[in-house]
Amino acid sequence: MTSIGAQGGGLLPTMFQVISPGTSQAITTGAASVQAADFTAGVTILRVFATQDCWIAFGTSPTAVVEGSSSMFLPAGIVEYFERKELEKLAVIQNGTAGKLYITEGSTS
């Protein structure tokens, strides 16, 4: 399944992500890695938003690590979209300050 984009109007039209929103979850980030709940079968797009800087990792049994080579820095206040492969999970750990990571499952159909 491939994600699609949509073009905004106005003076500076830009492309932005379009998904059909599905189940959402909120994870409190802390000093230890926390895995998100299992995602719905067939979900291939995840929309994520963090209230504080954090690190995330994907895999079948991921552990997020601060500045770890298998983890990705996610700055606070930025909406990101990720492709999810079948059976992949997401883990998160704080980057200094606890916060929330909001995850929404999505599809393009």
Side-chain angles (χ1 to χ4, degrees), residues 10-53:
L11 296 175
L12 298 171
T14 57
M15 294 298 290
F16 58 95
Q17 194 73 21
V18 177
I19 63 170
S20 296
T23 303
S24 293
Q25 56 181 296
I27 302 171
T28 299
T29 62
S33 179
V34 178
Q35 280 190 11
D38 289 344
F39 300 114
T40 304
V43 166
T44 59
I45 300 170
L46 299 176
R47 177 188 184 270
V48 299
F49 177 84
T51 61
Q52 297 291 332
D53 293 350

Side-chain angles (χ1 to χ4, degrees), residues 4 7 10-11 13 59 64 73 77 93 99 104 109:
I4 59 173
Q7 188 166 4
L11 296 175
F73 179 73
I93 191 169
T104 301
S109 56

